[in-house]
């Protein structure tokens, strides 16, 4: 997955991804989605964002196709990530993480002392995403889009995370982890994956050395699969993502 600056030619794909992403994840009506698309993702506005020195518009590309995009705006020493959408078929493949981490780094490099991330409260599947990167909810606000008022949650970079920006990292990067229902930490290996109907499953281990497998991690909704059912199918109990037995190597279990 390659993260690059968007161009005006990406406008049509950006609008399509926003449309399908909101339809899949936002608890809003089709009319509301259409209003957001018309106001925020029309071609003229996207072209303006591409040319603006006060805005950042990044895309994640996979084999020539736009998999997701991120928009941010800067106001003096504060930058706010306003939109982050990944096409449903590319979720769980690192597009959202790559876009977010790249954007935060670039915004700091461009002089932003504070980085915030905005999310509409109507986003039913985005809960917990920003917290994974050291952001925490700071406040709620209201914005008007298409003549309709929406509640937004603003997440702020924690002081420890902000201080870490720009430091020389000589140690190995931290491993991605998740927490089980019992409060135990497991380690996610995104290099080992199984195909799922809605997104890949990644192998989760009980140890950092990745010698003892715990279960699987659903790439569609980013939750742990606590068990495999009696038909030896890997099925996410949260979103219903399913991996059929003939599609995976039984050696994982």
């Amino acid at each position: 997955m390659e993260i690059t600056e968007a161009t005006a030619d990406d406008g049509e794909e950006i609008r399509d991804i926003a449309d399908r992403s909101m339809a899949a994840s936002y608890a809003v009506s089709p009319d509301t989605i259409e209003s957001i698309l018309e106001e925020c993702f029309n071609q003229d506005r996207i072209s303006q964002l591409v040319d603006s020195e006060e805005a950042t518009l990044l895309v994640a590309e996979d084999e020539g196709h736009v998999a997701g995009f991120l928009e941010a705006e800067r106001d003096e020493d504060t930058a706010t990530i306003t939109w982050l959408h990944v096409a449903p078929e590319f979720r769980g493949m690192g597009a959202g993480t790559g876009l977010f981490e790249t954007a935060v780094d670039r915004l700091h490099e461009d002089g932003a002392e504070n980085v915030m991330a905005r999310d509409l409260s109507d986003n039913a599947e985005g809960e917990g995403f920003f917290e994974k990167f050291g952001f925490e909810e700071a406040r709620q606000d209201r914005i008007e889009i298409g003549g309709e008022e929406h509640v937004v949650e603003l997440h702020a970079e924690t002081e420890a995370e902000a201080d870490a920006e720009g430091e020389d990292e000589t140690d190995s990067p931290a491993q991605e982890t998740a927490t089980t229902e019992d409060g135990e930490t497991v380690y996610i290996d995104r290099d080992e994956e199984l195909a799922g109907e809605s997104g890949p499953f990644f192998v989760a281990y009980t140890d950092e050395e990745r010698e003892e497998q715990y279960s699987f991690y659903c790439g569609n909704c980013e939750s742990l699969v606590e068990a495999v059912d009696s038909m030896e199918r890997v099925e996410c109990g949260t979103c219903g993502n399913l991996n059929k037995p003939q599609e995976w190597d039984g050696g994982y279990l």
Side-chain angles (χ1 to χ4, degrees), residues 85-181:
H85 286 289
V86 175
E89 66 270 22
F90 284 104
R91 292 181 179 179
M93 300 174 67
T97 295
L99 284 164
F100 190 82
E101 292 181 333
T102 300
V104 171
D105 288 342
R106 291 194 184 183
L107 291 168
H108 279 299
E109 290 170 2
D110 290 342
E113 296 181 11
N114 307 300
V115 176
M116 304 192 74
R118 186 190 78 183
D119 191 26
L120 268 66
S121 61
D122 299 311
N123 185 356
E125 295 186 2
E127 185 177 356
F129 177 81
F130 299 123
E131 283 80 356
K132 295 191 303 182
F133 304 97
F135 283 62
E136 59 185 18
E137 185 175 341
R139 68 177 190 271
Q140 289 191 341
D141 206 345
R142 293 179 182 273
I143 60 173
E144 185 176 305
I145 303 176
E148 185 174 344
E149 194 174 74
H150 296 269
V151 176
V152 295
E153 298 170 351
L154 287 164
H155 300 259
E157 200 171 18
T158 61
E159 184 175 346
E161 186 69 18
D163 290 343
E165 292 294 337
E167 292 183 357
D168 181 18
E169 297 183 6
T170 56
D171 296 333
S172 300
Q175 296 192 49
E176 182 178 0
T177 62
T179 304
T180 70
E181 292 181 351

Side-chain angles (χ1 to χ4, degrees), residues 51 61 145 170 242:
D51 295 334
E61 292 188 341
I145 303 176
T170 56
L242 177 66

